[in-house]
Amino acid sequence: SGRKRTRSDKMEFQCFLEFELAMQSKKHPASLAYFFKVFDRKNVGSLDAKDISLFFTAVHQKWVDAGNYELSVADVKDELYDMIKPTDATKVTLKDIINCKMGDTV
C-alpha cells in the first residue's frame, strides 16, 4: 500500500482494518501475504532459518515464562520446514506457505 509509515506506538485505523481482516481470514492468500511481509524483515521475499529463529526466540521466552514446557528452537524450525516443504531447503517463500495449505497454522 502507498500509505506513509509513521514511527508511533499507535496503529492508524486503515492499518488496524488490514490487520483485523488478515486475522479473520488467515487461510486466504492475501492474509498470508500480509503476515509474510511482517516477517520478511530483509524484504527479500523469503525467510531463512536465522529469520525463523529470531522470531521464535521471543515467542519461546514468553512460552517458558508462562510456565510451559521447554521447546527447542531447532526442533520448531524443523517442524515448520516439515509442514511447509519449501522448494528450496534453505528458505521459505510466500508461495511455499500458500502451497502447503497450512499457512494459517504456520
Side-chain angles (χ1 to χ4, degrees):
S1 67
R3 287 183 316 282
K4 181 181 175 187
R5 293 181 185 242
T6 59
R7 292 191 180 265
S8 172
D9 61 348
K10 295 185 173 136
M11 184 182 283
E12 293 177 9
F13 185 68
Q14 181 68 31
C15 293
F16 170 75
L17 287 178
E18 290 173 3
F19 174 77
E20 185 61 26
L21 286 171
M23 287 298 291
Q24 295 300 318
S25 55
K26 292 180 195 161
K27 291 183 183 220
H28 193 280
S31 295
L32 296 173
Y34 174 88
F35 289 112
F36 190 84
K37 286 179 191 175
V38 171
F39 290 107
D40 184 11
R41 62 191 176 88
K42 295 177 283 190
N43 200 27
V44 295
S46 63
L47 306 173
D48 59 22
K50 206 176 208 182
D51 295 321
I52 292 168
S53 294
L54 173 76
F55 289 109
F56 180 70
T57 299
V59 172
H60 175 259
Q61 190 58 53
K62 290 190 181 295
W63 172 265
V64 172
D65 290 348
N68 294 297
Y69 57 90
E70 186 65 41
L71 291 171
S72 160
V73 174
D75 288 347
V76 171
K77 182 207 66 86
D78 290 345
E79 288 291 326
L80 287 172
Y81 273 65
D82 287 346
M83 289 170 63
I84 297 168
K85 296 178 180 42
T87 55
D88 179 337
T90 65
K91 62 185 178 184
V92 174
T93 66
L94 174 59
K95 184 176 180 181
D96 294 328
I97 293 172
I98 291 170
N99 289 341
C100 82
K101 305 291 186 212
M102 291 190 282
D104 59 317
T105 302
V106 173

XYZ file of all heavy atoms in Angstrom:
853
model
N 0.847 -1.192 0.000
C 0.000 0.000 0.000
C 0.877 1.233 0.000
O 2.018 1.207 0.406
C -0.931 -0.026 1.207
O -0.196 0.100 2.395
N 0.318 2.355 -0.427
C 1.077 3.573 -0.565
C 1.010 4.483 0.642
O 1.400 5.636 0.562
N 0.523 3.974 1.750
C 0.422 4.803 2.949
C 1.786 5.090 3.540
O 2.676 4.261 3.495
C -0.439 4.110 4.002
C -1.896 4.123 3.663
C -2.707 3.492 4.772
N -2.119 2.264 5.276
C -2.199 1.089 4.674
N -2.824 0.980 3.542
N -1.659 0.028 5.203
N 1.923 6.273 4.086
C 3.157 6.668 4.760
C 3.217 5.970 6.117
O 2.243 5.966 6.867
C 3.168 8.179 4.938
C 4.412 8.689 5.600
C 4.348 10.190 5.775
C 5.545 10.670 6.539
N 5.428 12.083 6.866
N 4.344 5.382 6.410
C 4.525 4.729 7.707
C 5.077 5.750 8.692
O 5.949 6.530 8.362
C 5.477 3.554 7.596
C 4.883 2.458 6.758
C 5.827 1.287 6.686
N 5.281 0.314 5.776
C 4.941 -0.907 6.128
N 5.090 -1.310 7.353
N 4.454 -1.742 5.234
N 4.530 5.738 9.878
C 4.992 6.666 10.901
C 5.598 5.884 12.054
O 5.253 4.732 12.282
C 3.819 7.531 11.425
O 2.817 6.665 11.967
C 3.217 8.366 10.318
N 6.484 6.516 12.777
C 7.082 5.891 13.954
C 6.241 6.275 15.158
O 6.382 7.353 15.707
C 8.525 6.359 14.130
C 9.429 5.852 13.055
C 10.880 6.129 13.439
N 11.758 5.659 12.417
C 12.345 4.466 12.427
N 12.142 3.650 13.422
N 13.138 4.110 11.458
N 5.366 5.378 15.499
C 4.456 5.634 16.599
C 4.059 4.295 17.201
O 4.129 3.268 16.553
C 3.216 6.371 16.081
O 2.241 6.461 17.087
N 3.626 4.320 18.433
C 3.150 3.090 19.041
C 1.654 2.899 18.788
O 1.056 1.967 19.276
C 3.463 3.068 20.536
C 2.789 4.207 21.291
O 2.279 5.136 20.653
O 2.786 4.157 22.526
N 1.075 3.774 17.974
C -0.346 3.693 17.658
C -0.521 3.230 16.219
O 0.242 3.573 15.334
C -1.006 5.046 17.860
C -0.970 5.452 19.313
C -1.720 6.721 19.540
C -1.755 6.918 21.037
N -1.489 8.181 21.509
N -1.560 2.443 16.017
C -1.866 1.943 14.686
C -2.957 2.810 14.074
O -3.976 3.052 14.698
C -2.342 0.484 14.810
C -2.604 -0.203 13.498
S -3.224 -1.893 13.702
C -1.734 -2.769 14.119
N -2.726 3.258 12.842
C -3.749 4.021 12.145
C -4.943 3.114 11.872
O -4.797 1.899 11.749
C -3.193 4.569 10.838
C -2.118 5.599 11.024
C -1.545 6.076 9.691
O -2.105 5.732 8.638
O -0.543 6.794 9.738
N -6.114 3.714 11.710
C -7.335 2.945 11.525
C -7.247 2.026 10.309
O -7.623 0.853 10.384
C -8.547 3.886 11.409
C -9.847 3.152 11.342
C -10.320 2.448 12.445
C -10.596 3.148 10.187
C -11.514 1.764 12.388
C -11.800 2.466 10.109
C -12.265 1.767 11.219
N -6.731 2.511 9.189
C -6.605 1.684 7.978
C -5.714 0.480 8.243
O -6.021 -0.631 7.816
C -6.063 2.519 6.819
C -5.916 1.745 5.522
C -7.240 1.330 4.911
O -8.234 2.015 5.066
N -7.253 0.204 4.238
N -4.622 0.686 8.953
C -3.720 -0.416 9.283
C -4.409 -1.426 10.188
O -4.248 -2.639 10.028
C -2.451 0.100 9.943
S -1.411 1.079 8.852
N -5.192 -0.912 11.132
C -5.942 -1.797 12.022
C -6.921 -2.647 11.221
O -7.042 -3.851 11.453
C -6.697 -0.986 13.086
C -7.660 -1.820 13.862
C -7.208 -2.696 14.831
C -9.021 -1.744 13.602
C -8.107 -3.492 15.539
C -9.919 -2.530 14.301
C -9.457 -3.414 15.270
N -7.625 -2.034 10.276
C -8.578 -2.787 9.459
C -7.872 -3.886 8.665
O -8.364 -5.019 8.594
C -9.325 -1.858 8.504
C -10.364 -0.944 9.135
C -10.985 -0.049 8.064
C -11.432 -1.729 9.854
N -6.733 -3.565 8.076
C -5.978 -4.570 7.326
C -5.546 -5.717 8.237
O -5.654 -6.891 7.870
C -4.758 -3.941 6.669
C -5.105 -3.007 5.533
C -3.900 -2.258 4.996
O -2.765 -2.501 5.461
O -4.108 -1.425 4.096
N -5.071 -5.367 9.432
C -4.662 -6.391 10.395
C -5.854 -7.251 10.795
O -5.767 -8.482 10.807
C -4.040 -5.722 11.627
C -3.726 -6.688 12.728
C -2.615 -7.509 12.646
C -4.540 -6.767 13.847
C -2.318 -8.410 13.663
C -4.246 -7.663 14.870
C -3.134 -8.483 14.772
N -6.957 -6.627 11.112
C -8.152 -7.354 11.543
C -8.652 -8.286 10.439
O -9.000 -9.437 10.703
C -9.251 -6.379 11.964
C -10.482 -7.023 12.542
C -10.243 -7.828 13.801
O -9.279 -7.551 14.547
O -11.033 -8.759 14.058
N -8.693 -7.800 9.212
C -9.120 -8.652 8.095
C -8.174 -9.838 7.917
O -8.616 -10.969 7.682
C -9.208 -7.839 6.805
C -10.393 -6.890 6.705
C -10.242 -5.985 5.485
C -11.703 -7.679 6.621
N -6.894 -9.593 8.034
C -5.911 -10.679 7.910
C -6.090 -11.700 9.030
O -6.013 -12.914 8.787
C -4.490 -10.117 7.912
N -6.349 -11.234 10.237
C -6.556 -12.147 11.371
C -7.822 -12.984 11.205
O -7.861 -14.151 11.608
C -6.635 -11.360 12.687
C -5.320 -10.821 13.168
S -4.107 -12.108 13.543
C -4.825 -12.857 14.994
N -8.851 -12.407 10.618
C -10.136 -13.093 10.480
C -10.141 -14.126 9.360
O -10.996 -15.011 9.352
C -11.265 -12.076 10.253
C -11.501 -11.153 11.426
C -11.876 -11.906 12.688
O -12.659 -12.847 12.663
N -11.297 -11.503 13.810
N -9.235 -14.010 8.425
C -9.221 -14.948 7.291
C -7.800 -15.431 7.020
O -7.251 -15.240 5.943
C -9.813 -14.277 6.056
O -9.140 -13.075 5.777
N -7.211 -16.066 8.023
C -5.796 -16.450 7.959
C -5.456 -17.429 6.840
O -4.307 -17.539 6.451
C -5.363 -17.047 9.292
C -5.342 -16.046 10.418
C -4.909 -16.716 11.697
C -5.235 -15.846 12.869
N -5.246 -16.592 14.106
N -6.440 -18.147 6.314
C -6.156 -19.102 5.235
C -6.088 -18.434 3.871
O -5.568 -19.014 2.931
C -7.230 -20.188 5.200
C -7.178 -21.115 6.378
C -8.198 -22.219 6.261
C -8.127 -23.066 7.505
N -8.255 -24.471 7.248
N -6.607 -17.235 3.758
C -6.659 -16.554 2.470
C -5.249 -16.109 2.054
O -4.476 -15.617 2.880
C -7.587 -15.339 2.562
C -7.944 -14.777 1.235
N -7.095 -13.943 0.542
C -9.030 -14.948 0.460
C -7.652 -13.611 -0.607
N -8.833 -14.212 -0.682
N -4.909 -16.293 0.769
C -3.570 -15.890 0.319
C -3.223 -14.423 0.611
O -2.067 -14.121 0.922
C -3.613 -16.150 -1.192
C -4.614 -17.256 -1.335
C -5.660 -16.987 -0.274
N -4.202 -13.523 0.562
C -3.919 -12.117 0.868
C -3.533 -11.953 2.338
O -2.665 -11.141 2.678
C -5.125 -11.239 0.533
N -4.167 -12.722 3.211
C -3.815 -12.675 4.633
C -2.427 -13.249 4.865
O -1.641 -12.700 5.637
C -4.842 -13.451 5.462
O -6.093 -12.839 5.383
N -2.137 -14.354 4.190
C -0.803 -14.944 4.320
C 0.258 -13.966 3.818
O 1.317 -13.837 4.432
C -0.742 -16.264 3.553
C -1.660 -17.370 4.084
C -1.636 -18.569 3.147
C -1.299 -17.774 5.498
N -0.048 -13.251 2.746
C 0.891 -12.250 2.214
C 1.094 -11.117 3.216
O 2.217 -10.629 3.400
C 0.387 -11.706 0.881
N 0.017 -10.692 3.869
C 0.093 -9.617 4.866
C 1.084 -10.013 5.970
O 1.983 -9.251 6.313
C -1.299 -9.359 5.452
C -1.306 -8.378 6.586
C -1.434 -7.015 6.347
C -1.176 -8.805 7.906
C -1.442 -6.103 7.396
C -1.180 -7.902 8.945
C -1.316 -6.552 8.698
O -1.304 -5.663 9.746
N 0.895 -11.212 6.526
C 1.761 -11.642 7.625
C 3.176 -11.947 7.139
O 4.149 -11.697 7.861
C 1.147 -12.840 8.358
C -0.054 -12.458 9.158
C -1.312 -12.903 8.806
C 0.061 -11.618 10.250
C -2.426 -12.533 9.533
C -1.044 -11.234 10.994
C -2.295 -11.697 10.627
N 3.313 -12.476 5.928
C 4.645 -12.763 5.402
C 5.470 -11.489 5.324
O 6.653 -11.477 5.671
C 4.543 -13.437 4.029
C 5.863 -13.958 3.551
C 6.317 -15.197 3.947
C 6.670 -13.194 2.718
C 7.550 -15.681 3.524
C 7.901 -13.661 2.289
C 8.343 -14.910 2.699
N 4.849 -10.396 4.892
C 5.564 -9.112 4.803
C 6.066 -8.663 6.177
O 7.122 -8.046 6.285
C 4.655 -8.036 4.216
C 4.438 -8.183 2.739
C 3.516 -7.086 2.237
C 3.071 -7.351 0.826
N 2.090 -6.375 0.360
N 5.322 -8.979 7.211
C 5.739 -8.624 8.571
C 7.024 -9.371 8.937
O 7.948 -8.792 9.500
C 4.619 -8.941 9.590
C 5.116 -8.779 11.025
C 3.394 -8.068 9.339
N 7.073 -10.642 8.587
C 8.223 -11.460 8.964
C 9.413 -11.313 8.011
O 10.546 -11.601 8.389
C 7.819 -12.931 9.056
C 6.925 -13.198 10.228
C 5.573 -13.443 10.042
C 7.418 -13.182 11.514
C 4.745 -13.676 11.118
C 6.602 -13.402 12.606
C 5.254 -13.654 12.405
N 9.170 -10.871 6.786
C 10.245 -10.702 5.807
C 10.976 -9.381 6.089
O 10.918 -8.432 5.330
C 9.666 -10.722 4.386
C 10.729 -10.643 3.306
O 11.924 -10.790 3.634
O 10.347 -10.427 2.139
N 11.704 -9.352 7.183
C 12.330 -8.122 7.675
C 13.422 -7.597 6.750
O 13.720 -6.413 6.747
C 12.870 -8.332 9.087
C 13.942 -9.373 9.184
C 14.284 -9.751 10.622
N 15.257 -10.821 10.619
C 16.557 -10.623 10.576
N 17.043 -9.417 10.571
N 17.379 -11.642 10.564
N 14.012 -8.458 5.942
C 15.052 -8.025 4.998
C 14.454 -7.672 3.632
O 15.171 -7.238 2.745
C 16.113 -9.124 4.840
C 16.890 -9.390 6.119
C 17.882 -10.525 5.945
C 17.125 -11.832 5.977
N 17.943 -13.025 6.061
N 13.157 -7.889 3.502
C 12.429 -7.578 2.269
C 13.058 -8.266 1.049
O 13.272 -7.659 0.011
C 12.357 -6.062 2.053
C 11.242 -5.685 1.107
O 10.249 -6.390 0.991
N 11.407 -4.575 0.430
N 13.331 -9.575 1.216
C 13.947 -10.348 0.137
C 13.009 -11.409 -0.439
O 13.388 -12.139 -1.347
C 15.267 -11.018 0.602
C 16.310 -9.961 0.928
C 15.037 -11.941 1.782
N 11.807 -11.508 0.100
C 10.838 -12.467 -0.424
C 10.993 -13.873 0.106
O 10.373 -14.802 -0.414
N 11.804 -14.025 1.146
C 11.984 -15.352 1.737
C 12.427 -15.220 3.190
O 12.915 -14.176 3.619
C 13.016 -16.162 0.953
O 14.278 -15.542 1.024
N 12.245 -16.301 3.919
C 12.678 -16.390 5.313
C 13.644 -17.553 5.418
O 13.371 -18.642 4.898
C 11.480 -16.650 6.238
C 10.308 -15.681 6.137
C 9.148 -16.164 6.986
C 10.731 -14.291 6.535
N 14.755 -17.334 6.072
C 15.701 -18.428 6.269
C 15.648 -18.878 7.732
O 14.878 -18.347 8.536
C 17.112 -18.028 5.847
C 17.675 -16.825 6.597
O 17.197 -16.524 7.716
O 18.592 -16.185 6.065
N 16.452 -19.864 8.059
C 16.457 -20.421 9.415
C 16.780 -19.351 10.460
O 16.227 -19.355 11.562
C 17.452 -21.569 9.507
N 17.646 -18.425 10.112
C 18.018 -17.346 11.033
C 16.809 -16.449 11.337
O 16.591 -16.052 12.475
C 19.149 -16.525 10.409
C 20.029 -15.814 11.371
C 21.147 -15.131 10.584
C 22.364 -15.004 11.438
N 23.448 -14.324 10.739
N 16.027 -16.130 10.299
C 14.819 -15.313 10.493
C 13.829 -16.025 11.415
O 13.291 -15.426 12.343
C 14.114 -15.046 9.147
C 14.941 -14.211 8.198
O 15.617 -13.271 8.665
O 14.901 -14.497 6.987
N 13.624 -17.302 11.144
C 12.680 -18.077 11.948
C 13.151 -18.144 13.389
O 12.365 -17.951 14.317
C 12.477 -19.476 11.338
C 11.744 -19.337 9.993
C 11.712 -20.388 12.290
C 11.717 -20.581 9.151
N 14.429 -18.371 13.596
C 14.983 -18.420 14.955
C 14.816 -17.085 15.675
O 14.469 -17.053 16.858
C 16.454 -18.809 14.930
O 16.596 -20.124 14.473
N 15.046 -15.993 14.967
C 14.912 -14.664 15.566
C 13.501 -14.445 16.111
O 13.321 -14.041 17.258
C 15.248 -13.589 14.541
C 14.991 -12.156 14.995
C 16.075 -11.711 15.965
C 14.907 -11.219 13.820
N 12.501 -14.725 15.293
C 11.125 -14.509 15.727
C 10.690 -15.522 16.776
O 9.986 -15.182 17.718
C 10.172 -14.532 14.533
C 10.328 -13.322 13.668
C 10.894 -13.427 12.411
C 9.932 -12.072 14.117
C 11.057 -12.311 11.609
C 10.100 -10.949 13.326
C 10.656 -11.065 12.063
N 11.126 -16.755 16.617
C 10.697 -17.762 17.578
C 11.321 -17.556 18.948
O 10.701 -17.867 19.961
C 11.002 -19.174 17.069
C 10.576 -20.215 18.047
C 9.233 -20.453 18.268
C 11.505 -20.923 18.779
C 8.824 -21.396 19.197
C 11.114 -21.861 19.710
C 9.762 -22.103 19.923
N 12.506 -17.019 19.013
C 13.181 -16.826 20.298
C 12.339 -15.971 21.242
O 12.198 -16.298 22.424
C 14.574 -16.207 20.086
O 15.342 -17.108 19.279
C 15.293 -15.971 21.390
N 11.745 -14.894 20.729
C 10.903 -14.028 21.569
C 9.642 -14.764 22.015
O 9.240 -14.680 23.181
C 10.534 -12.759 20.814
N 9.038 -15.488 21.117
C 7.835 -16.259 21.458
C 8.194 -17.349 22.463
O 7.461 -17.579 23.433
C 7.210 -16.880 20.190
C 6.086 -17.831 20.535
C 6.733 -15.789 19.243
N 9.314 -17.987 22.231
C 9.776 -19.062 23.109
C 9.934 -18.575 24.548
O 9.516 -19.244 25.493
C 11.114 -19.613 22.585
C 11.736 -20.629 23.460
N 12.776 -20.346 24.309
C 11.456 -21.936 23.643
C 13.118 -21.423 24.968
N 12.333 -22.409 24.577
N 10.535 -17.397 24.720
C 10.744 -16.872 26.065
C 9.419 -16.638 26.775
O 9.259 -16.981 27.942
C 11.566 -15.584 26.032
C 12.005 -15.128 27.410
C 12.824 -16.193 28.136
O 13.804 -16.695 27.603
N 12.428 -16.542 29.339
N 8.450 -16.076 26.088
C 7.128 -15.862 26.686
C 6.467 -17.199 27.020
O 5.794 -17.331 28.040
C 6.238 -15.037 25.756
C 6.687 -13.597 25.657
C 5.665 -12.748 24.944
C 6.108 -11.326 24.817
N 6.245 -10.606 26.045
N 6.643 -18.178 26.155
C 6.098 -19.526 26.361
C 6.650 -20.123 27.661
O 5.908 -20.616 28.503
C 6.468 -20.388 25.151
C 6.162 -21.842 25.248
C 7.009 -22.827 25.646
C 4.920 -22.475 24.927
N 6.383 -24.044 25.594
C 5.102 -23.857 25.155
C 3.700 -22.018 24.470
C 4.088 -24.787 24.939
C 2.690 -22.947 24.248
C 2.891 -24.307 24.488
N 7.969 -20.060 27.826
C 8.618 -20.615 29.015
C 8.245 -19.799 30.259
O 7.934 -20.366 31.312
C 10.146 -20.687 28.823
C 10.851 -21.079 30.115
C 10.494 -21.663 27.700
N 8.233 -18.470 30.143
C 7.871 -17.610 31.274
C 6.455 -17.880 31.767
O 6.151 -17.680 32.941
C 8.002 -16.129 30.906
C 9.444 -15.695 30.729
O 10.367 -16.457 31.104
O 9.656 -14.579 30.192
N 5.594 -18.346 30.863
C 4.208 -18.651 31.236
C 4.081 -20.015 31.912
O 2.981 -20.454 32.243
C 3.307 -18.584 30.008
N 5.229 -20.694 32.112
C 5.211 -21.965 32.821
C 5.044 -23.183 31.929
O 4.780 -24.279 32.415
N 5.196 -23.007 30.635
C 5.063 -24.128 29.709
C 6.377 -24.897 29.604
O 7.419 -24.438 30.045
C 4.649 -23.617 28.324
C 3.267 -23.012 28.357
O 2.298 -23.682 28.644
N 3.186 -21.717 28.081
N 6.315 -26.060 29.022
C 7.493 -26.910 28.853
C 8.502 -26.286 27.891
O 8.169 -25.440 27.079
C 7.081 -28.304 28.373
C 6.280 -28.305 27.089
C 6.919 -28.380 25.852
C 4.890 -28.230 27.112
C 6.210 -28.368 24.680
C 4.158 -28.221 25.940
C 4.819 -28.294 24.727
O 4.094 -28.285 23.561
N 9.720 -26.727 27.997
C 10.817 -26.207 27.171
C 10.673 -26.714 25.731
O 10.276 -27.835 25.494
C 12.152 -26.670 27.754
C 13.360 -26.100 27.088
C 13.494 -24.596 27.244
O 13.221 -24.072 28.340
O 13.873 -23.947 26.263
N 10.987 -25.852 24.801
C 10.975 -26.203 23.376
C 12.348 -25.915 22.782
O 12.997 -24.949 23.165
C 9.951 -25.348 22.619
C 8.490 -25.584 22.898
C 7.645 -24.503 22.241
C 8.071 -26.941 22.379
N 12.747 -26.724 21.843
C 13.994 -26.495 21.139
C 13.705 -25.646 19.903
O 12.841 -25.989 19.093
C 14.601 -27.840 20.718
O 15.518 -27.664 19.671
N 14.431 -24.546 19.750
C 14.264 -23.673 18.589
C 14.523 -24.473 17.306
O 13.778 -24.358 16.328
C 15.191 -22.443 18.684
C 15.141 -21.612 17.423
C 14.828 -21.589 19.896
N 15.541 -25.295 17.316
C 15.874 -26.100 16.131
C 14.740 -27.071 15.797
O 14.404 -27.261 14.624
C 17.174 -26.856 16.349
N 14.129 -27.682 16.822
C 13.019 -28.610 16.588
C 11.814 -27.896 15.987
O 11.158 -28.419 15.085
C 12.599 -29.307 17.879
C 13.612 -30.336 18.347
O 14.518 -30.702 17.561
O 13.490 -30.784 19.508
N 11.523 -26.699 16.477
C 10.392 -25.930 15.952
C 10.657 -25.551 14.497
O 9.778 -25.682 13.636
C 10.100 -24.689 16.816
C 9.081 -23.789 16.154
C 9.616 -25.121 18.197
N 11.871 -25.104 14.193
C 12.221 -24.775 12.806
C 12.058 -25.996 11.912
O 11.463 -25.924 10.833
C 13.651 -24.250 12.706
C 14.020 -23.853 11.280
C 15.507 -23.946 10.986
C 16.103 -25.277 11.004
N 16.066 -26.092 9.788
N 12.524 -27.148 12.382
C 12.396 -28.381 11.600
C 10.926 -28.743 11.378
O 10.547 -29.172 10.282
C 13.118 -29.543 12.289
C 14.635 -29.404 12.249
O 15.154 -28.582 11.458
O 15.297 -30.118 13.029
N 10.108 -28.576 12.397
C 8.670 -28.844 12.262
C 8.038 -27.916 11.232
O 7.217 -28.349 10.417
C 7.950 -28.679 13.607
C 8.224 -29.769 14.604
C 7.615 -31.099 14.200
O 6.529 -31.117 13.589
O 8.246 -32.125 14.479
N 8.408 -26.633 11.271
C 7.883 -25.684 10.289
C 8.281 -26.087 8.872
O 7.454 -26.093 7.962
C 8.368 -24.264 10.591
C 7.737 -23.585 11.794
C 8.448 -22.277 12.103
C 6.257 -23.349 11.560
N 9.544 -26.437 8.697
C 10.011 -26.850 7.369
C 9.305 -28.134 6.921
O 8.979 -28.287 5.743
C 11.527 -27.032 7.358
C 12.290 -25.761 7.058
C 12.257 -24.675 7.923
C 13.041 -25.629 5.902
C 12.950 -23.510 7.645
C 13.745 -24.467 5.609
C 13.691 -23.410 6.492
O 14.369 -22.250 6.211
N 9.040 -29.056 7.856
C 8.317 -30.283 7.515
C 6.889 -29.973 7.068
O 6.368 -30.607 6.152
C 8.282 -31.248 8.695
C 9.619 -31.923 8.963
O 10.518 -31.851 8.093
O 9.765 -32.515 10.049
N 6.254 -29.005 7.720
C 4.886 -28.634 7.359
C 4.848 -27.895 6.028
O 3.972 -28.139 5.199
C 4.273 -27.749 8.451
C 3.966 -28.475 9.739
S 3.526 -27.347 11.083
C 2.051 -26.587 10.473
N 5.782 -26.989 5.826
C 5.772 -26.128 4.643
C 6.329 -26.847 3.412
O 5.838 -26.635 2.299
C 6.562 -24.835 4.915
C 5.890 -24.048 6.041
C 6.679 -23.984 3.654
C 6.720 -22.903 6.589
N 7.334 -27.676 3.602
C 8.015 -28.353 2.496
C 8.461 -27.357 1.415
O 8.008 -27.406 0.267
C 7.114 -29.435 1.893
C 6.785 -30.550 2.852
C 5.860 -31.556 2.222
C 5.487 -32.694 3.116
N 5.167 -32.451 4.483
N 9.338 -26.422 1.785
C 9.772 -25.403 0.817
C 10.494 -26.023 -0.378
O 11.137 -27.064 -0.252
C 10.713 -24.515 1.636
C 11.168 -25.362 2.770
C 10.053 -26.316 3.053
N 10.372 -25.360 -1.529
C 11.042 -25.862 -2.730
C 12.558 -25.733 -2.619
O 13.287 -26.506 -3.233
C 10.552 -25.114 -3.991
O 10.733 -23.716 -3.808
C 9.095 -25.404 -4.269
N 13.029 -24.765 -1.835
C 14.459 -24.583 -1.565
C 14.651 -24.831 -0.072
O 14.086 -24.118 0.764
C 14.886 -23.153 -1.928
C 16.350 -22.870 -1.659
O 16.976 -23.549 -0.815
O 16.883 -21.939 -2.287
N 15.429 -25.829 0.268
C 15.597 -26.228 1.669
C 16.258 -25.165 2.541
O 16.272 -25.294 3.763
C 16.396 -27.527 1.751
N 16.793 -24.099 1.940
C 17.465 -23.068 2.732
C 16.567 -21.882 3.062
O 16.974 -21.003 3.817
C 18.716 -22.530 1.997
O 18.311 -21.861 0.797
C 19.684 -23.657 1.685
N 15.355 -21.846 2.463
C 14.490 -20.694 2.718
C 13.029 -21.043 2.447
O 12.721 -21.999 1.736
C 14.913 -19.517 1.833
C 14.790 -19.795 0.354
C 15.341 -18.656 -0.475
C 15.244 -19.002 -1.959
N 15.840 -17.967 -2.785
N 12.152 -20.234 3.033
C 10.710 -20.388 2.874
C 10.184 -19.140 2.180
O 10.507 -18.016 2.574
C 10.017 -20.544 4.251
C 8.516 -20.552 4.109
C 10.503 -21.793 4.960
N 9.372 -19.344 1.142
C 8.772 -18.219 0.432
C 7.269 -18.174 0.708
O 6.688 -19.147 1.210
C 8.992 -18.339 -1.088
O 8.276 -19.488 -1.559
C 10.467 -18.447 -1.438
N 6.662 -17.057 0.351
C 5.205 -16.946 0.478
C 4.534 -18.033 -0.351
O 3.570 -18.655 0.103
C 4.738 -15.559 0.048
C 3.225 -15.349 0.002
C 2.590 -15.590 1.367
C 2.905 -13.949 -0.512
N 5.034 -18.287 -1.537
C 4.452 -19.326 -2.391
C 4.497 -20.690 -1.698
O 3.537 -21.459 -1.756
C 5.192 -19.379 -3.730
C 4.591 -20.353 -4.710
C 5.304 -20.298 -6.047
C 4.673 -21.291 -7.014
N 5.329 -21.294 -8.297
N 5.603 -20.985 -1.013
C 5.714 -22.246 -0.264
C 4.627 -22.332 0.801
O 3.992 -23.378 0.983
C 7.078 -22.364 0.419
C 8.245 -22.489 -0.539
O 8.076 -23.078 -1.631
O 9.337 -21.997 -0.182
N 4.424 -21.229 1.507
C 3.427 -21.206 2.586
C 2.020 -21.368 2.026
O 1.210 -22.124 2.572
C 3.562 -19.929 3.430
C 4.895 -19.947 4.188
C 2.394 -19.781 4.398
C 5.242 -18.667 4.903
N 1.723 -20.697 0.937
C 0.398 -20.833 0.317
C 0.202 -22.267 -0.180
O -0.848 -22.873 0.049
C 0.227 -19.809 -0.823
C 0.140 -18.392 -0.236
C -1.018 -20.131 -1.657
C 0.202 -17.283 -1.267
N 1.206 -22.823 -0.832
C 1.099 -24.168 -1.402
C 0.975 -25.267 -0.363
O 0.396 -26.313 -0.640
C 2.288 -24.461 -2.318
C 2.241 -23.664 -3.605
O 1.193 -23.152 -3.994
N 3.371 -23.567 -4.275
N 1.490 -25.049 0.834
C 1.449 -26.102 1.852
C 0.046 -26.290 2.440
O -0.231 -27.309 3.071
C 2.454 -25.839 2.964
S 1.927 -24.690 4.252
N -0.841 -25.343 2.211
C -2.236 -25.396 2.675
C -2.372 -25.397 4.202
O -3.411 -25.716 4.729
C -2.969 -26.622 2.104
C -2.939 -26.726 0.599
C -3.749 -25.649 -0.041
C -3.824 -25.879 -1.547
N -3.891 -24.680 -2.295
N -1.288 -25.062 4.901
C -1.322 -24.963 6.362
C -0.792 -23.609 6.821
O -0.320 -23.466 7.934
C -0.501 -26.085 6.990
C -1.108 -27.448 6.812
S -0.291 -28.716 7.784
C 1.153 -29.020 6.793
N -0.870 -22.621 5.947
C -0.331 -21.314 6.254
C -0.944 -20.684 7.484
O -0.273 -19.958 8.218
N -2.216 -20.981 7.739
C -2.852 -20.418 8.928
C -2.309 -21.018 10.209
O -2.331 -20.386 11.262
C -4.375 -20.596 8.861
C -4.792 -22.050 8.762
O -4.162 -22.817 7.991
O -5.757 -22.441 9.432
N -1.763 -22.215 10.130
C -1.151 -22.861 11.295
C 0.295 -22.418 11.451
O 0.766 -22.156 12.550
C -1.187 -24.389 11.140
O -2.547 -24.785 10.991
C -0.577 -25.080 12.343
N 0.990 -22.337 10.320
C 2.392 -21.943 10.316
C 2.500 -20.532 10.856
O 3.287 -20.203 11.671
C 2.983 -22.022 8.897
C 4.377 -21.460 8.869
C 2.965 -23.444 8.398
